[in-house]
Amino acid sequence: MNAEPGIPPLRRRRDEAGTATVTLDPEHLAASHVFGFGQMSEQLYPFFMIRSALLAHVEATGHCVLAITSVEAGNGKTHVAANLAAVLSRVRPTVLVELDLRRPSLGARLGLMNDRPGIDDYLAGEAAWRDTAMEIDGFDLAVHRARRPHPRAERLLASPRLSHALRHIAAEDEAAICLIDTPPALIGDDLLHIARTVDGVLLVAQEGRSRKCGVLEVSNALGATPIVGSILNMALSAPARLGDYGYYRDATDEAG
């Protein structure tokens, strides 16, 4: 095991030997409904609106480590995390971390190979943080995906290595924003381990499916960790109020 005393620098420079730079396949991204790396389109426009609101929040508060969760499974949190990280990385250094360790899907959604250590290996003390990073070619984006499912994820999420890494992302790059794809909020207590290490939470809800009482349960469970915005996925009604984050799609379901 790699003890990694003090856990040295988290991110490699792009020109440093050994950096994993990945070129994503546009056809695979399109099949996975990941539009954020492509040209301007009707599907992409709402994520630019979310980006603007999020950047305003970051500038006003200094909060740069944000978890993206959902009330329940299938509300679209991974879909939002991948696309929002992509559009953010066009204008700011962005780190996308997958911590839905029981049902990881980010690597498959982006078409990433499974031949390198993952964030789960880092949390287990078996890899350095920087060795789990995959730099996306053409974007200022580092992705730390989970390599395999972990039925007992709470053991890894309780590791002090997680809080250390997230605390030091901003310290190494003041412009960086870190987005974390988390487990659904109301499945076990995985999110509570993560919430203690982040500045705030973005909550994805699906109209016609997410229960109002579920949203209240999430807010109560998070305690002092604020919900800084809500994203209404697959909205069927009128646009969200100013200050909400909303994106609107057709009836195609986005799991994750």
Side-chain angles (χ1 to χ4, degrees):
M1 291 179 60
N2 179 9
E4 198 178 3
I7 311 185
L10 302 177
R11 300 183 67 192
R12 284 193 171 109
R13 298 188 309 273
R14 291 181 182 276
D15 58 350
E16 187 175 340
T19 300
T21 301
V22 179
T23 301
L24 302 180
D25 178 2
E27 292 186 3
H28 181 90
L29 295 176
S32 299
H33 301 285
V34 178
F35 310 109
F37 298 99
Q39 298 298 317
M40 185 61 183
S41 65
E42 182 179 353
Q43 295 96 335
L44 186 54
Y45 176 77
F47 287 102
F48 284 132
M49 299 298 99
I50 300 171
R51 179 181 72 184
S52 295
L54 184 59
L55 287 174
H57 173 79
V58 171
E59 293 297 332
T61 65
H63 294 167
C64 62
V65 180
L66 301 169
I68 299 178
T69 193
S70 59
V71 177
E72 56 220 347
N75 290 162
K77 62 178 181 57
T78 303
H79 172 73
V80 170
N83 281 288
L84 184 53
V87 298
L88 274 170
S89 71
R90 295 168 179 254
V91 296
R92 294 279 289 267
T94 303
V95 181
L96 176 58
V97 179
E98 179 174 43
L99 291 180
D100 189 351
L101 301 183
R102 298 180 195 272
R103 294 182 59 186
S105 63
L106 185 62
R109 189 163 298 206
L110 296 178
L112 301 177
M113 298 294 290
N114 207 28
D115 57 350
R116 292 182 61 86
I119 184 70
D120 42 341
D121 299 301
Y122 163 75
L123 293 175
E126 297 171 355
W129 169 271
R130 60 180 178 265
D131 291 332
T132 73
M134 295 188 181
E135 304 277 358
I136 305 304
D137 187 33
F139 295 82
D140 199 350
L141 175 62
V143 177
H144 299 260
R145 56 88 178 96
R147 190 168 53 84
R148 60 185 178 87
H150 292 268
R152 304 191 68 177
E154 64 272 17
R155 290 187 173 183
L156 296 178
L157 295 175
S159 167
R161 296 170 69 84
L162 176 59
S163 59
H164 179 96
L166 298 183
R167 282 199 311 269
H168 284 70
I169 286 173
E172 293 201 355
D173 189 341
E174 292 182 357
I177 296 175
C178 177
L179 299 182
I180 303 170
D181 180 26
T182 79
L186 300 182
I187 298 179
D189 65 348
D190 289 0
L191 177 61
L192 301 186
H193 290 292
I194 300 166
R196 291 192 287 265
T197 68
V198 303
D199 296 321
V201 173
L202 291 168
L203 181 62
V204 178
Q206 183 176 329
E207 187 167 4
R209 181 177 179 184
S210 300
R211 298 169 292 115
K212 181 178 180 180
C213 63
V215 175
L216 294 175
E217 285 180 48
V218 175
S219 179
N220 291 334
L222 288 173
T225 305
I227 296 178
V228 301
S230 60
I231 300 173
L232 188 59
N233 186 18
M234 296 175 60
L236 305 174
S237 58
R241 297 185 303 275
L242 183 65
D244 289 342
Y245 306 124
Y247 72 93
Y248 308 96
R249 290 183 39 77
D250 57 24
T252 303
D253 187 17
E254 297 291 356

